[in-house]
Amino acid sequence: MKLRRQSRFHQISIHDRSGIRTLKFGDVVQTTMKIDDPSGGALEYIDFFHMPMILRDGIRSVLFVGLGGGSGPTQFLDDYPGIQIDVVEIDEEIVRLAADLFDCRESSRCRIHVGDGLDYLEQADQVWDLIIIDAYMIEHGDLVVPDELTTEEFFRLCQSRLSEDGVLVFNSAATVDAPLTREVRDSLSAVFRSILGFEVVSSDNAVLLASDAPLEHRTTRLAQKAREGLARGSVVRRSLLRRCRQLHRGLSEGK
């Protein structure tokens, strides 16, 4: 299968090859999925969205800002039966394609809202245990995170929409040493008491976690928590053991 669409926001292409379905914005890969297993075959950085499940007990509500092909919501719905999910996505065409071709659609446990993520958070009257920022745009052929989603002001808004020991996850479309990632880390540090940063090996991404409650900064203890979660069934992806070793000291700090 090959498909091309032009939405208000993106030049979209989707193709199938060797059992993998791939979604691109322009020339940049956004989502990969095993055609016969919609919760499998995702890009590496999606694994780090599960790190809060190692670090926190009792996560019951999750907000995704940005949908793409829906790898994150699909995995969370499969892995954590007790979780309720909200997704906000600015591009209505992406919402349609995610439902039709990536098996990610609204259900009793997953509400999908079409709109701007910043506006949605400003108008929200609820809190979540976990907020995941995974929103991109293409500008002049390059993948960028919208500027308004990287500011201290935005992260204070996110803080106000998190539960007491809630966690914010931010997927930076840049390497650990890039100015964007450092800028986001500094903005998060001005708002939250504890920051963890992880290096994505297979792509130019870094993933940061932030919380007002302490986050575990020791790699060995993170791995132990992952093993404990796997043993009791609260975590199901064994790849998280490997991801714990990708903790980046230069991005992580606690107050």
Side-chain angles (χ1 to χ4, degrees), residues 43-56 75-76 79-80 198 207 209 218-230 233-247:
L43 296 168
E44 177 191 342
Y45 77 84
I46 300 292
D47 271 2
F48 297 101
F49 293 177
H50 296 263
M51 281 294 171
M53 311 306 291
I54 294 173
L55 295 162
R56 296 284 189 264
Q75 288 188 3
F76 272 61
D79 289 4
Y80 315 115
F198 293 88
V207 178
L209 278 61
R218 294 168 294 177
T219 303
T220 54
R221 183 60 184 140
L222 278 175
Q224 180 59 34
K225 283 179 171 290
R227 284 190 287 270
E228 292 168 357
L230 287 164
S234 59
V235 175
V236 301
R237 295 183 181 267
R238 296 199 62 83
S239 58
L240 296 186
L241 286 168
R242 183 168 66 256
R243 305 306 178 209
C244 290
R245 297 195 293 271
Q246 293 169 234
L247 182 71

Side-chain angles (χ1 to χ4, degrees), residues 76-218:
F76 272 61
L77 289 168
D78 283 355
D79 289 4
Y80 315 115
I83 277 183
Q84 294 288 326
I85 292 175
D86 287 288
V87 182
V88 57
E89 166 59 52
I90 197 169
D91 193 334
E92 189 172 11
E93 183 65 17
I94 289 297
V95 173
R96 282 195 289 267
L97 291 171
D100 293 343
L101 299 176
F102 289 86
D103 201 35
C104 182
R105 58 182 61 87
E106 280 203 312
S107 68
S108 60
R109 294 177 52 218
C110 181
R111 297 175 293 189
I112 299 178
H113 315 269
V114 177
D116 179 87
L118 175 59
D119 291 344
Y120 180 80
L121 277 161
E122 287 178 336
Q123 297 166 17
D125 59 359
Q126 70 180 93
V127 297
W128 293 269
D129 300 318
L130 174 59
I131 296 176
I132 298 173
I133 310 299
D134 186 28
Y136 299 111
M137 301 293 287
I138 299 292
E139 291 184 357
H140 309 295
D142 294 325
L143 187 68
V144 299
V145 179
D147 289 341
E148 62 269 24
L149 303 186
T150 65
T151 65
E152 183 178 331
E153 179 182 21
F154 174 69
F155 293 136
R156 290 197 184 280
L157 174 61
C158 291
Q159 182 187 47
S160 73
R161 300 295 186 259
L162 283 169
S163 56
E164 185 175 357
D165 62 348
V167 180
L168 174 72
V169 175
F170 188 97
N171 178 32
S172 173
T175 63
V176 293
D177 297 318
L180 171 64
T181 302
R182 297 292 174 172
E183 175 187 340
V184 169
R185 194 280 308 270
D186 291 345
S187 295
L188 287 170
S189 297
V191 176
F192 293 96
R193 297 180 61 192
S194 191
I195 310 294
L196 290 184
F198 293 88
E199 182 172 14
V200 180
V201 173
S202 61
S203 61
D204 291 340
N205 293 71
V207 178
L208 297 102
L209 278 61
S211 181
D212 279 330
L215 296 171
E216 179 57 62
H217 284 69
R218 294 168 294 177

